[in-house]
Amino acid sequence: MKLLTKSRFKIALECSNKLFYTSKKEYANNKNEDPFLKALANGGFQVEELARLHYPNGIFINTENYEYEKAAQLTQEALQNDNVVIYEAAFQFDGLFIRTDIIVKNGNIIKLIEVKAKSFNPNEENNFVGTRGGLVSSWKPYLFDLAFQKYVAQKMFPQFKFDAYLLMADKTKKASIDGLNQLFRIPNNGNPRTDIIKRVHSLKEIGNSVLSEANVDAIINEIINDKYKYYENLNFEEAITTFKKAYQEDKYLNWPTQFSACKNCEFKASSEQEEEGLLSGFKHCFTKQLNWSPSDFNKPNALQIWNFRSKNIMVENRMLMEQLTEEDFNIKTETGRIAPSERQWIQVEKAVKNDNSIYVEKEALKQEMNQWMFPLHFIDFETSTVALPFTAGRKPYEQVAFQFSHHRYNEDGTIQHQSQYINNTAGEFPNFIFARALQAAIGNDDGTVFKFATHENTIINAIITQLEESDEADKENLIAFLKTISKSTKNQVKQWEGHRNMVDLCKVVKDYYYNPYTNGSNSIKAVLPASLNSSEFLKKKYSQPIGNILLSSQNFPTNHIWLQMDGDKVINPYKTLPTLFDNWSETDLEENISDIENIADGGSALTAYAKLQYVDMTPKERNEITQGLLKYCELDTLAMVMIYEHFKFDIIEK
């Protein structure tokens, strides 16, 4: 019998139609390939292992994922003890199945503990229920997940009383020792679930834990009793019964399409996936519910519109851009820049007319660029946050800046990959070394500094706070430098804006420039290939070896060519980054345990850094991953240079 597990219950709450697609190999599932989800998962096992130290000597229900009855039987046997701790306890009841992270049984009272690699502040009153009385949206899926667990466990064993808890990283706690996150490691060819090497065996060995319990039983009971609903028209127990029946009968529930859910649907197959024979759940839904024809899927639709959140058009079945009007956008113009609503309508008009010409506020862009001072500095950071801190005195999920790249554009047109920094040492807190390296790179002139989006400013603010709390001898000097290139966030007590406050090139794009080749995205991964496809200057320049075009590189040979074509279209340079381990022998590849093929986006960079931290690997493999990170980050800053050149030579000076 097919069982409704807690993961399937959670998927069904997002959109019950997904139950029809999940576990079917014929349907594309992009969540399985999401690099950010993979990166987050890498740290989860460490939190779970630390959590088990809070409740030691537990019985581990070690079965395969598909061995439902065996796992439930072993759990039932363990529960015959009056006092027992069980890891991954399994409960099966009437077509429902759950595994719980930890249960602690004392007599007839059982603590059901869900371990989450998330953080909370126990001193805040409204962590889970907001000031207006509703569940905090970011916690809602996790609380319903836990409610499902308690529901199934209580149904299975009505003679016991189950109390629901979350165990999470506590933002008020600091690590007592260095290398906390290094105490739980994955061995060569190891399974993160079963083969973790633990270098400590009790909480006493680490001092204060950075995890804390949160008793959420009252909230969970209110979810089960329908005080809080996921959807207003769906009771908790009714949802379970409906989802279970649909999954067992392999029934498509025909749940009404929803704008945000459909926009982010993981069962949306790309053209490449369809060529490989994979089906699209997204197309299945839109065909059945909106009566779309095959040709409709080739037309621009409202889900592609930048920052558009309208619900009415889906209810009215007007999801194609050609069906929209100006009234749908409530357009408000602003002098000297492209207002958000105006940008949306520009995108629609150009998409409907198949017009790939650039829209630009040329004079306003020119005024902006005239303020920039040479030499121009383009920087990009790669960062991570970890639940278990690297060093003593650090809190969970503090920002860790492990890498930057820096391109310098001189007034004579020469371009240098001037500097770079990376920390690949396991267990080392790099932020202050990072700050010193950044100061050495861009702190010796007053040239304009560029970022792409707000991330770099956020990181600099975090490092400033860390420095203020530190005993670093040069902290005042470093703080003074960092403040010159940044702006305070709203969380800072003292406000500032440096005289070299970084120019956000992404904001420049949003304010003055729209390129239809971006399909509405303002990500650098979209703006770069769009700029290349629109620019004869860039095509001519970057189709040559970098050694011939006054461009230096610290990671690529002088004969490297950045621009490659597929017919009349430019291939996105991020897709041409070298594959890792490409020239390794079969013998060396057999020892490769990181399971990373390439680094071409922020998620894979996070994953790569996590592997460097958590996985024991050979120096050769560590170096290969490091080189991949350096090449990826170099392209990020070179991409900014290319976008700048596109503005300068194709728009302003044309």
Side-chain angles (χ1 to χ4, degrees), residues 46 416 555 557 620 645:
Q46 293 184 314
Q416 298 158 305
N555 302 297
K620 184 177 181 181
E645 290 184 304

Side-chain angles (χ1 to χ4, degrees), residues 130-411:
T131 55
R132 296 183 178 180
L135 294 182
V136 175
S137 59
S138 60
W139 281 103
K140 196 172 181 179
Y142 304 104
L143 293 169
F144 270 78
D145 178 343
L146 187 51
F148 182 68
Q149 292 183 52
K150 176 170 179 173
Y151 176 87
V152 176
Q154 193 70 76
K155 288 288 186 181
M156 183 66 188
F157 293 100
Q159 68 272 32
F160 300 139
K161 181 180 184 298
F162 288 85
D163 295 324
Y165 288 78
L166 289 169
L167 185 66
M168 301 166 290
D170 185 334
K171 290 193 285 189
T172 68
K173 291 186 173 182
K174 294 182 179 181
S176 300
I177 62 171
D178 290 330
L180 178 59
N181 77 325
Q182 299 304 305
L183 300 178
F184 314 99
R185 313 240 344 148
I186 304 174
N188 194 348
N189 298 320
N191 183 327
R193 181 173 169 269
T194 58
D195 300 329
I196 301 301
I197 297 175
K198 293 185 288 187
R199 294 176 177 170
V200 291
H201 300 281
S202 72
L203 285 179
K204 292 181 181 179
E205 297 177 64
I206 65 169
N208 297 323
S209 174
V210 295
L211 306 183
S212 289
E213 277 185 358
N215 185 337
V216 293
D217 195 60
I219 299 172
I220 297 306
N221 289 337
E222 289 172 333
I223 290 174
I224 293 173
N225 294 324
D226 293 321
K227 177 178 179 179
Y228 303 114
K229 296 181 180 181
Y230 213 92
Y231 298 104
E232 282 303 316
N233 61 342
L234 196 64
N235 295 335
F236 185 78
E237 195 161 10
E238 177 189 0
I240 293 174
T241 302
T242 301
F243 297 159
K244 178 183 69 174
K245 188 172 185 292
Y247 185 67
Q248 289 176 344
E249 296 177 358
D250 196 23
K251 180 182 178 182
Y252 178 77
L253 279 174
N254 211 37
W255 187 263
T257 52
Q258 304 169 71
F259 194 90
S260 60
C262 293
K263 185 179 181 73
N264 299 307
C265 180
E266 65 267 34
F267 296 102
K268 191 182 299 180
S270 66
S271 56
E272 292 82 2
Q273 289 171 323
E274 289 184 332
E275 288 176 5
E276 294 170 0
L278 291 175
L279 300 176
S280 172
F282 172 81
K283 284 190 174 182
H284 184 263
C285 285
F286 273 49
T287 300
K288 290 185 72 70
Q289 295 197 37
L290 302 183
N291 297 314
W292 274 25
S293 66
S295 62
D296 287 334
F297 292 101
N298 296 322
K299 297 177 181 179
N301 66 72
L303 298 175
Q304 299 164 336
I305 301 172
W306 169 73
N307 207 29
F308 188 55
R309 298 182 176 89
S310 175
K311 297 177 182 178
N312 293 335
I313 62 169
M314 182 163 275
V315 174
E316 298 166 3
N317 196 1
R318 294 190 299 116
M319 287 296 294
L320 296 174
M321 288 193 196
E322 64 188 28
Q323 298 170 314
L324 304 180
T325 67
E326 289 189 61
E327 286 69 31
D328 292 311
F329 296 90
N330 189 25
I331 297 172
K332 298 176 181 178
T333 61
E334 297 181 32
T335 304
R337 68 184 290 263
I338 307 172
S341 56
E342 188 179 15
R343 186 181 191 83
Q344 292 169 340
W345 182 240
I346 290 169
Q347 180 184 348
V348 170
E349 281 193 308
K350 286 188 172 293
V352 170
K353 296 176 182 177
N354 197 24
D355 175 6
N356 289 323
S357 64
I358 293 169
Y359 180 94
V360 63
E361 293 285 346
K362 182 174 179 178
E363 287 305 312
L365 176 59
K366 185 176 182 179
Q367 289 178 25
E368 169 69 30
M369 294 179 68
N370 284 341
Q371 299 177 58
W372 301 344
M373 294 179 59
F374 290 100
L376 308 180
H377 301 280
F378 299 87
I379 60 172
D380 176 73
F381 299 170
E382 297 301 329
T383 63
S384 175
T385 58
V386 291
L388 305 187
F390 294 152
T391 51
R394 303 259 71 88
K395 297 176 182 178
Y397 290 108
E398 283 198 59
Q399 291 285 358
V400 175
F402 64 86
Q403 182 182 4
F404 73 74
S405 173
H406 164 220
H407 270 85
R408 172 178 166 137
Y409 192 101
N410 299 304
E411 195 163 7

